[in-house]
Amino acid sequence: MTDRDVKIAVVTGAGSGIGRAVAVELLGAGWSVALAGRHPETLTETAELVPGAACLAVRTDVSRPDEVAALFSATVERFGRVDLLFNNAGTFGPGGVPVEDLPYEAWRHVVDTNLNGAFLCAQAAYRRMKEQDPQGGRIINNGSVSAHAPRPHSAPYTATKHALTGLTKSLSLDGRPYRIAAGQIDIGNAATDMTAGMRTGALQANGEVVPEPVMDVADVARTVRHMAELPLEANVQFATVLATGMPYVGRG
């Protein structure tokens, strides 16, 4: 395998959940991966799941422009280029808080992480992909089924995920001249620490609290890998992966 056969990815939120699963999937498939997240100890735990793999852990708060710039500089210094950004870092924010009671600081935290952070990482990746040789790369944004339908009391999270759809479309359009492909994966009820409460009961639109099915996060990771390994002449613009029985399609 030559150096150019090895693809380079940046995965944000790589210390847990979907980010960890995707990083492990890519590392196991021979990718070199820069693991980004706010907690160095959890990034180390992710790296240790694939012994001997080529990875780099970079402590990063995606809402801070200087830290995002440092992440991509470290990635290029170590691996030479960026072929993929999986824009995954995000937060639900305070759950179950009615919009009239939501503190502005909580709204701002979700927007800074889910939307501003995604933009900053996409911008940094875009710059590298445009200027590197060979030119191009792929950006995959982690959306949510909330980009289509909200849960009760989820205004900050839902608003940012709708905004990510617009960001994805704009990146896809603007990246065409530079062989930069952009797509989005909308995920529903993957089994992670963030969704643990859904198995015991989640608030529904009719006011009931009902347990919801979840799916193996590894199935999400395999979908991201499929999107990532397409040639740049092909793109999955939007994909929705969800637990089959979750209350998403239909009424009630």
Side-chain angles (χ1 to χ4, degrees):
M1 181 177 289
T2 67
D3 288 345
R4 281 308 308 134
D5 291 328
V6 177
K7 297 295 185 180
I8 314 303
V10 174
V11 176
T12 67
S16 63
I18 292 168
R20 171 175 284 180
V22 168
V24 167
E25 179 73 19
L26 294 175
L27 287 167
W31 288 65
S32 297
V33 182
L35 309 170
R38 293 183 296 113
H39 303 292
E41 63 277 10
T42 61
L43 298 178
T44 299
E45 292 170 1
T46 298
E48 290 173 346
L49 293 172
V50 190
C55 60
L56 171 70
V58 184
R59 194 273 174 200
T60 309
D61 181 341
V62 298
S63 70
R64 297 182 60 87
D66 56 336
E67 295 190 18
V68 171
L71 164 65
F72 282 86
S73 293
T75 301
V76 172
E77 182 177 353
R78 171 71 178 273
F79 297 120
R81 61 183 286 117
V82 178
D83 295 299
L84 171 70
L85 164 65
F86 181 46
N87 227 347
N88 167 72
T91 179
F92 283 144
V97 179
V99 66
E100 67 270 23
D101 297 326
L102 185 74
Y104 174 71
E105 293 75 14
W107 167 272
R108 181 64 181 269
H109 174 65
V110 176
V111 172
D112 280 345
T113 303
N114 294 7
L115 180 56
N116 295 342
F119 165 74
L120 290 170
C121 290
Q123 183 184 54
Y126 191 101
R127 288 169 173 165
R128 298 288 181 176
M129 293 170 179
K130 180 180 176 181
E131 299 301 326
Q132 63 195 9
D133 184 23
Q135 189 181 60
R138 190 181 306 275
I139 298 168
I140 301 174
N141 291 325
N142 183 353
S144 169
V145 294
S146 291
H148 307 275
R151 289 185 178 275
H153 308 319
S154 68
Y157 183 78
T158 296
T160 57
K161 294 305 182 178
H162 275 257
L164 269 181
T165 299
L167 177 63
T168 299
K169 291 179 178 180
S170 290
L171 291 170
S172 189
L173 177 61
D174 294 343
R176 285 178 185 171
Y178 312 111
R179 301 188 75 243
I180 299 172
Q184 179 171 316
I185 182 167
D186 295 329
I187 301 165
N189 287 17
T192 68
D193 290 343
M194 287 181 69
T195 62
M198 293 179 182
R199 283 168 278 190
T200 57
L203 181 63
Q204 306 298 307
N206 64 0
E208 295 181 4
V209 176
V210 179
E212 294 187 12
V214 297
M215 62 179 167
D216 192 333
V217 70
D219 294 324
V220 175
R222 284 191 288 270
T223 304
V224 173
R225 179 185 164 195
H226 167 71
M227 296 169 70
E229 292 186 341
L230 288 172
L232 290 178
E233 292 73 24
N235 187 40
V236 175
Q237 188 67 68
F238 293 99
T240 302
V241 183
L242 70 164
T244 304
M246 72 173 293
Y248 168 66
V249 177
R251 297 171 183 254

